[in-house]
Amino acid sequence: MTPSAALIEREQRHLACGVSEEAQQGGRVYASGRGTLLQDLEGRQVLDFAAGILTQSIGHAHPEVVAALQAQAEALWNVHDCATPRRAALLERLAALLPPQLNKFALLSTGAEAVEAALRAVWSAAAPGRQRLGALRYGFHGKSQGARSLVHWEVGQQPPAPSSVLAYAPHCYRCPLELNYPSCELRCAKLAARHIARANVAALVAEPVLGAAGVIVPPPGYWPLLQAACRAEGVLLVADEVLTGGGRCGSFLASTRLGLQPDLVTLAKGLASGFPFAVLAGPARLMDAGAFGAPGSSSSTFASNPLGIAAAEATLTVIEREQLIDRVLALEGRLGEGLRALQAQHPRLGDVRGIGLLWGLEFVQDRASRTPDPALARAVAARCLDEGLRLLPGGAVLRLAPPFTVLESELSEALAILARVLRELGA
């Protein structure tokens, strides 16, 4: 038995089995990481094209983040949400990176916590009669109760969640209306506007790019159309950028690139190099007023802790100084071109979709029926891992999200591994 297998066997005696699909099937124990590379207990190295869980924007163990955390760990860990020496600088950096209207911040610890804070801010500002929320089908906002209620995700015998209005997502490959872009004239957005832009809806909470659903990138015009309708009816727009925020889509916010100007934004994963850290951003009229402006409304035990602040400040400093968001844009074409070339050669690779350094590969039994093939996706992920490439599995879709610092030679190597595996599996 390998050291990894022995350790996993020990874990499984006590670890709850509801871990991720990757952890259930992977059989790996990762011991260290540097840049784009991970190394397991047996010394095998793999290219990490999942970037942790889309957290390692500047790679694993970046020396500046390591130094910042080491220095902070020797000084101070937690004083609730009291002021600390580095917090003001981080807030100023966030204000410079985000659109000017998003200039007030609540610092939190997880994406779901930021979404829950956004919901409190929405309800604090909501006018009488605005008692419902809007969301998009296939959306994911976290596993806490408020976040789950947005998309009607109930568990076991849980009573029905508060009723939110679910609208069509811009899923062109699996259009629920059986239309094709652009001849569809954005019917999905028009129907979403009809259902959500109403006097009894307080806010639309949505991912600009739907990540957990398999990287659903809206076609041009989707967000401007839906946004205009919500603005006309006084419906707030909450962009869940936990996964996309921080530059992964080629702009600091995916919203900016897609023509969306949100009232509130949640960010987390890529901001602090995998260290627990999250942000709710918004204007003073929402962040400082009403019940959400009362003492304690945006604080929590681990929020605003100095270690998270140190990791975030160091990460954002590197992203800015090295112009890594520009690099994401430059690499987008290279990765997309390589993936679409594979799609042209492999009929069971039904769809390739992406933006920046966030891409989804959807596997099907055949292109005519488009029947999802999760078994093939799992086989591709497992074989790629054996060949030295870590992807992020989820049903019939594999996601690729390398660090912004990935080398072009590493992109080429990853594409070569993927091509070899698809060929061997007869995809």
Side-chain angles (χ1 to χ4, degrees):
M1 183 180 289
T2 66
S4 288
L7 191 58
I8 289 171
E9 184 178 278
R10 285 177 55 200
E11 278 193 342
Q12 289 176 343
R13 297 172 194 158
H14 304 287
L15 185 67
C17 65
V19 295
S20 69
E21 182 178 335
E22 178 193 16
Q24 288 175 351
Q25 69 185 39
R28 296 290 181 107
V29 176
Y30 294 110
S32 63
R34 293 291 185 276
T36 312
L37 292 173
L38 286 169
Q39 183 167 299
D40 68 13
L41 280 181
E42 285 70 43
R44 296 172 296 188
Q45 289 191 327
V46 298
L47 289 167
D48 186 8
F49 270 50
I53 177 64
L54 292 94
T55 52
Q56 309 309 120
S57 298
I58 59 173
H60 292 276
H62 192 286
E64 290 190 39
V65 179
V66 171
L69 282 168
Q70 287 175 335
Q72 188 61 57
E74 293 175 353
L76 184 66
W77 291 11
N78 193 309
V79 283
H80 198 202
D81 59 349
C82 294
T84 52
R86 303 178 79 152
R87 188 166 69 176
L90 174 63
L91 295 172
E92 290 167 351
R93 186 177 296 278
L94 286 168
L97 288 165
L98 287 161
Q101 71 273 17
L102 302 174
N103 58 7
K104 286 277 188 167
F105 311 107
L107 303 186
L108 302 153
S109 55
T110 69
E113 189 180 30
V115 169
E116 294 284 352
L119 296 182
R120 295 197 300 276
V122 165
W123 291 126
S124 174
R130 292 194 182 271
Q131 299 175 332
R132 305 188 75 180
L133 295 170
L136 297 183
R137 298 180 190 276
Y138 311 118
F140 177 79
H141 304 286
K143 297 174 183 175
S144 54
Q145 186 167 345
R148 288 190 291 108
S149 71
L150 286 167
V151 291
H152 302 185
W153 175 13
E154 296 165 7
V155 175
Q157 298 301 309
Q158 176 184 345
S163 179
S164 61
V165 182
L166 288 180
Y168 289 125
H171 199 342
C172 292
Y173 185 64
R174 297 192 177 279
C175 177
L177 305 172
E178 299 183 345
L179 300 172
N180 295 298
Y181 180 83
S183 61
C184 63
E185 298 181 338
L186 296 171
R187 185 75 57 81
C188 59
K190 293 174 182 176
L191 287 173
R194 184 184 304 174
H195 290 120
I196 289 175
R198 301 168 68 114
N200 66 340
V201 175
L204 167 61
V205 183
E207 301 165 90
V209 175
L210 284 78
V215 191
I216 299 174
V217 183
Y222 177 89
W223 277 118
L225 192 158
L226 187 48
Q227 174 176 260
C230 288
R231 291 274 186 259
E233 292 296 328
V235 175
L236 294 175
L237 293 163
V238 181
D240 182 346
E241 298 233 20
V242 166
L243 186 149
T244 54
R248 181 155 293 282
C249 293
S251 54
F252 191 74
L253 295 181
S255 298
T256 303
R257 190 169 177 188
L258 298 174
L260 173 62
Q261 297 177 321
D263 299 287
L264 292 167
V265 172
T266 60
L267 306 102
K269 287 184 182 294
L271 291 191
S273 292
F275 204 87
F277 182 80
V279 173
L280 171 64
R285 65 181 174 84
L286 296 176
M287 300 291 285
D288 292 346
F292 194 68
S297 295
S298 60
S299 67
S300 69
T301 299
F302 301 110
S304 208
N305 78 83
L307 288 164
I309 288 170
E313 187 184 7
T315 301
L316 294 176
T317 295
V318 172
I319 288 173
E320 277 196 284
R321 187 188 65 234
E322 299 183 9
Q323 299 180 311
L324 292 182
I325 298 178
D326 291 340
R327 192 164 191 279
V328 169
L329 276 175
L331 293 175
E332 174 186 312
R334 171 78 178 91
L335 183 55
E337 179 183 333
L339 294 173
R340 292 191 181 101
L342 293 177
Q343 181 188 18
Q345 298 166 21
H346 297 279
R348 295 173 69 189
L349 177 49
D351 195 31
V352 169
R353 48 187 182 256
I355 182 173
L357 288 180
L358 176 62
W359 289 79
L361 310 180
E362 183 164 354
F363 291 88
V364 295
Q365 293 179 9
D366 61 80
R367 286 192 178 169
S369 69
R370 297 189 181 182
T371 302
D373 197 338
L376 177 58
R378 286 193 297 270
V380 171
R383 186 73 67 85
C384 280
L385 190 59
D386 289 340
E387 294 289 323
L389 174 64
R390 178 177 177 251
L391 306 175
L392 194 60
V397 179
L398 298 179
R399 287 183 291 173
L400 293 83
F404 305 170
T405 52
V406 63
L407 303 175
E408 289 203 39
S409 61
E410 292 172 329
L411 280 182
S412 297
E413 184 180 353
L415 289 168
I417 292 172
L418 189 55
R420 186 164 63 250
V421 167
L422 291 175
R423 187 167 57 251
E424 292 172 353
L425 292 175

